[in-house]
Amino acid sequence: MKICKTINETTSLLSIFINDGKKIGFVPTMGALHKGHISLINISKKQNDITVVSIFVNPTQFNDKQDYIKYPRNSEKDLEMLSNTGCDLVFMPDDKEMYPEPDNRIFDLGNLETIMEGKFRPGHFQCVAGIVSKLFDIIKPDKAYFGQKDFQQLSVIKRLVQITNSKVQIISCPIIREENGLALSSRNLRLSVEEFKQAAIIYKTINQLSTFLENNKFCEFKTWAIKQIDKISLFKTEYIEIVDTETLGIVKDIKYHKSITCCIAVYCGQIRLIDNIQINL
Ligand code: PAF
């Protein structure tokens, strides 16, 4: 497994594979790797000749400075996991390499910036779009792999590809869950043993949406769900929404939709957890 820290080293190595007609699969990450990331890499390995993983904790996409400072980092363990998974190339730039100067581009992300994650994390998706477009320009992948846990991020990336006329094919990959149902996330590493146990309530609750679909009882569901979660001390639901899986428009009547997704963000103390479930109608 080759480890590259600079853009030059990465592009010159990759150009050899690209000129050779090799298909490049790309998994962008912020490190603190877990089984969810490994599942993306395994899918990429099946579909491509070369799999590239980037590890870069992008400072600009964090709204909360403490969240950035406390974001788990463990490159030694990450590299061991990547090598065991059969990753071919790891791109691990530092901040100066990715931002020799500030990135002031603005992407037209439409409603994605004003709802759910966009509303509660202003500017976040502009910076995600910015860093992903830089990474795509460097790696030039055929396919890029993103987890459905970050459901709205996936829509942002699909939109980015559309507005920048990029040829990268975006592959959305299933959420991987702990045995208790909690969606895998690097931030789970910051939960105490007790919080980890309690956080099972998030998936358990949103999973009940199907029992509220008759007569479109969405308001009732949201009120019930918030009550279930917020009755646990330290837990505070930031938002819960039921949206169309494609357009992310708010769902009022299921008869107008093929697939709906229930998205939730919950604070567990200082740690913010997101999750979602999709129901095909
Ligand atoms: O999902 C993530 O880990 C990050 O948002 C990404 C896509 C690597 C961009 O920094």
Side-chain angles (χ1 to χ4, degrees), residues 1-277:
M1 181 176 79
K2 184 83 188 140
I3 302 167
C4 297
K5 298 206 164 171
T6 66
I7 296 174
N8 276 344
E9 205 187 349
T10 310
T11 51
S12 47
L13 199 67
L14 283 174
S15 66
I16 302 171
F17 296 121
I18 293 169
N19 291 339
D20 229 18
K22 302 275 191 237
K23 293 284 173 216
I24 312 280
F26 176 43
V27 181
T29 82
M30 297 206 297
L33 303 180
H34 50 67
K35 283 188 241 153
H37 296 112
I38 302 303
S39 74
L40 305 185
I41 297 166
N42 284 331
I43 300 172
S44 169
K45 279 173 60 66
K46 282 199 190 116
Q47 298 183 349
N48 302 279
D49 303 305
I50 302 288
T51 290
V52 180
V53 174
S54 64
I55 299 181
F56 179 63
V57 185
N58 176 31
T60 63
Q61 74 184 68
F62 286 82
N63 313 71
D64 175 356
K65 202 163 174 219
Q66 282 308 310
D67 189 29
Y68 173 64
I69 292 167
K70 295 198 172 141
Y71 197 83
R73 293 163 172 87
N74 192 344
S75 24
E76 218 169 283
K77 188 166 167 242
D78 288 347
L79 291 175
E80 196 187 318
M81 282 171 87
L82 290 176
S83 161
N84 291 340
T85 315
C87 161
D88 299 291
L89 191 155
V90 191
F91 177 50
M92 287 179 82
D94 64 14
D95 292 2
K96 273 210 194 103
E97 189 71 8
M98 291 314 285
Y99 294 107
E101 54 205 43
D103 183 359
N104 295 320
R105 289 173 299 168
I106 305 279
F107 300 90
D108 176 9
L109 302 177
N111 70 336
L112 296 173
E113 272 203 285
T114 54
I115 55 165
M116 303 191 293
E117 292 298 286
K119 177 172 165 192
F120 288 97
R121 302 188 69 186
H124 167 69
F125 283 137
Q126 284 295 332
C127 299
V128 169
I131 192 67
V132 170
S133 90
K134 273 175 184 257
L135 289 166
F136 282 0
D137 286 346
I138 297 164
I139 311 294
K140 297 187 179 52
D142 294 281
K143 294 189 171 86
Y145 298 80
F146 294 85
Q148 277 162 11
K149 208 254 318 170
D150 294 299
F151 167 75
Q152 199 172 347
Q153 170 171 279
L154 242 165
S155 298
V156 166
I157 305 299
K158 285 181 187 159
R159 180 150 176 98
L160 171 74
V161 162
Q162 202 182 38
I163 60 182
T164 56
N165 289 318
S166 164
K167 298 248 173 339
V168 182
Q169 195 183 335
I170 304 304
I171 313 289
S172 83
C173 305
I175 300 178
I176 308 293
R177 298 185 179 278
E178 298 284 359
E179 256 174 44
N180 72 358
L182 178 65
L184 258 58
S185 161
S186 303
R187 287 185 176 88
N188 293 355
L189 288 171
R190 293 180 55 204
L191 298 170
S192 69
V193 174
E194 190 51 32
E195 287 166 343
F196 177 88
K197 264 195 222 156
Q198 303 267 39
I201 189 74
I202 301 171
Y203 177 59
K204 202 172 157 205
T205 302
I206 56 175
N207 217 7
Q208 287 302 310
L209 173 62
S210 54
T211 61
F212 287 77
L213 289 186
E214 216 180 282
N215 299 323
N216 298 301
K217 290 194 185 129
F218 298 122
C219 286
E220 289 89 336
F221 170 70
K222 280 161 68 171
T223 311
W224 172 82
I226 293 170
K227 211 164 144 198
Q228 292 303 305
I229 293 170
D230 291 10
K231 72 181 174 203
I232 299 174
S233 80
L234 280 185
F235 281 46
K236 180 97 190 85
T237 305
E238 186 170 49
Y239 69 78
I240 176 160
E241 289 296 356
I242 297 109
V243 296
D244 182 272
T245 304
E246 281 301 309
T247 65
L248 275 69
I250 302 288
V251 173
K252 296 211 169 81
D253 189 334
I254 52 167
K255 75 169 178 249
Y256 299 116
H257 305 270
K258 284 199 193 107
S259 171
I260 60 175
T261 300
C262 173
C263 301
I264 190 164
V266 176
Y267 272 99
C268 171
Q270 300 296 309
I271 304 149
R272 188 172 182 277
L273 302 172
I274 59 170
D275 200 353
N276 67 80
I277 53 143

